[in-house]
Amino acid sequence: MATPERSLKVGAVIITMGNRPEELRALIDSVAQQDGDPVEVVVVGNGSPVPDVPGGVRTVEVPENLGIPGGRNVGIEAFGPGGRDVDILLFLDDDGLLARTDTAELCREAFAADDRLGIISFRIADPETGVTQRRHVPRLRASDPMRSSRVTTFLGGANAVRTKVFAEVGGLPDEFFYAHEETDLAWRALDAGWMIDYRSDMVLYHPTTAPSRHAVYHRMVARNRVWLARRNLPAPLVPVYLGVWLLLTLARRPSRPALKAWFGGFREGWATACGPRRPMKWRTVWRLTRLGRPPVI
């Protein structure tokens, strides 16, 4: 008699600033309602105390705000080095809500069916309208958010990662603090041979927002864009990639203060340390191109 395959073990990492206790509780409840084996949850208080959470939920409080990647890395390590105590980690924004009860099971099935699948990006939808913002579809051809596909990056607050990816390529880049940390991890994972899927049937409800609501948005987007290129791209592609993004930024006609902040961040990206440089292989560049997003845009 064949031995049944072990069900993949799933954990969830949620970082919080402690300012959305009701939304956090609702998110945790939606995780608890997932079908299949229970999902173990770790909530990281990122420079703030963790609000009251249900029994059985582990909490970690760090004394200062480590930023999004730093906070999530703390959550990963709460599941053992590189998250090795579980097979899959969900990363969920603390004001989100899992729309369905089968998301964890769908993740188990997807990762079990494809040994090279490393990351799944969920679809984000507004809880009232059901609308998915174009920027939340992680590909250039984003007009149809209901189409699932292979992609080259993922959404930071609505995803699942096979923990073997962290063991092989490391965690998120702490120094980024906010913006583009997902693409940095995605490029490293793709360079190591992992694949990334966007799944429209795995849904996180999240209120519609604009990224520019963050005061540091324009500076960090520009700084981290430079760091991303310096860390990951073959040398000939670095000026091409950054030149394209400079032109795109100007074409969007940001306000004068926003443009000033952007150029300040752009200069900072060149003048400051960005962490280790590990340029991707040229075959990875070709792979990204075949997937519809060459690493020049």
Side-chain angles (χ1 to χ4, degrees):
M1 182 176 177
T3 303
E5 291 187 10
R6 178 182 67 87
S7 176
L8 295 178
K9 190 172 181 181
V10 181
V13 173
I14 304 167
I15 60 173
T16 183
M17 300 288 289
N19 56 348
R20 294 190 279 239
E22 293 180 4
E23 293 90 338
L24 174 62
R25 185 66 177 247
L27 171 61
I28 293 171
D29 288 345
S30 75
V31 175
Q33 292 162 10
Q34 292 298 297
D35 302 333
D37 294 338
V39 177
E40 184 178 353
V41 177
V42 167
V43 178
V44 178
N46 207 6
S48 67
V50 175
D52 289 338
V53 295
V57 173
R58 287 195 289 149
T59 62
V60 180
E61 295 181 356
V62 293
E64 61 178 308
N65 182 355
L66 301 177
I68 294 173
R72 287 184 178 141
N73 283 336
V74 169
I76 294 168
E77 295 302 307
F79 288 94
R84 68 184 182 191
D85 294 345
V86 294
D87 302 296
I88 303 163
L89 278 176
L90 311 180
F91 295 88
L92 307 169
D93 276 352
D94 69 342
D95 55 345
L97 184 76
L98 289 174
R100 296 167 43 159
T101 62
D102 63 350
T103 301
E105 281 289 84
L106 289 172
C107 287
R108 291 185 182 100
E109 292 170 6
F111 284 117
D114 185 350
D115 289 341
R116 296 315 299 167
L117 179 61
I119 303 171
I120 299 173
S121 188
F122 300 169
R123 181 167 63 89
I124 292 179
D126 185 272
E128 295 183 2
T129 66
V131 171
T132 295
Q133 292 179 272
R134 188 181 181 90
R135 70 184 182 89
H136 284 152
V137 182
R139 58 176 179 247
L140 291 179
R141 296 178 179 175
S143 60
D144 182 8
M146 301 307 295
R147 179 174 66 88
S148 299
S149 69
R150 283 263 147 105
V151 290
T152 62
T153 188
F154 63 99
L155 306 174
N159 68 79
V161 181
R162 192 191 296 266
T163 53
K164 287 182 180 178
V165 172
F166 298 127
E168 187 168 351
V169 307
L172 295 155
D174 286 336
E175 53 269 68
F176 279 40
F177 197 84
Y178 165 78
H180 303 317
E181 67 272 4
E182 304 92 348
T183 300
D184 186 87
L185 176 61
W187 282 1
R188 286 183 281 126
L190 288 162
D191 198 48
W194 295 101
M195 300 302 292
I196 305 170
D197 280 354
Y198 166 72
R199 288 282 296 265
S200 64
D201 57 337
M202 301 182 189
V203 181
L204 184 83
Y205 284 147
H206 188 283
T208 298
T209 56
S212 54
R213 71 190 185 280
H214 299 291
V216 296
Y217 171 77
H218 297 286
R219 179 178 70 85
M220 288 197 172
V221 160
R223 182 197 68 181
N224 292 359
R225 184 80 69 186
V226 177
W227 282 357
L228 181 68
R230 290 174 58 198
R231 285 164 61 98
N232 295 288
L233 291 181
L237 292 186
V238 173
V240 179
Y241 176 81
L242 295 175
V244 167
W245 277 103
L246 171 61
L247 292 174
L248 283 172
T249 299
L250 294 173
R252 290 169 178 168
R253 300 191 176 197
S255 67
R256 185 178 294 274
L259 194 60
K260 182 179 179 181
W262 193 93
F263 274 109
F266 193 81
R267 288 191 295 270
E268 184 182 349
W270 286 107
T272 55
C274 63
R277 173 167 165 76
R278 299 187 182 96
M280 66 177 65
K281 308 173 191 73
W282 282 104
R283 70 168 176 263
T284 304
V285 173
W286 174 237
R287 192 175 179 206
L288 289 163
T289 302
R290 286 191 293 112
L291 287 169
R293 188 155 195 162
V296 294
I297 188 170

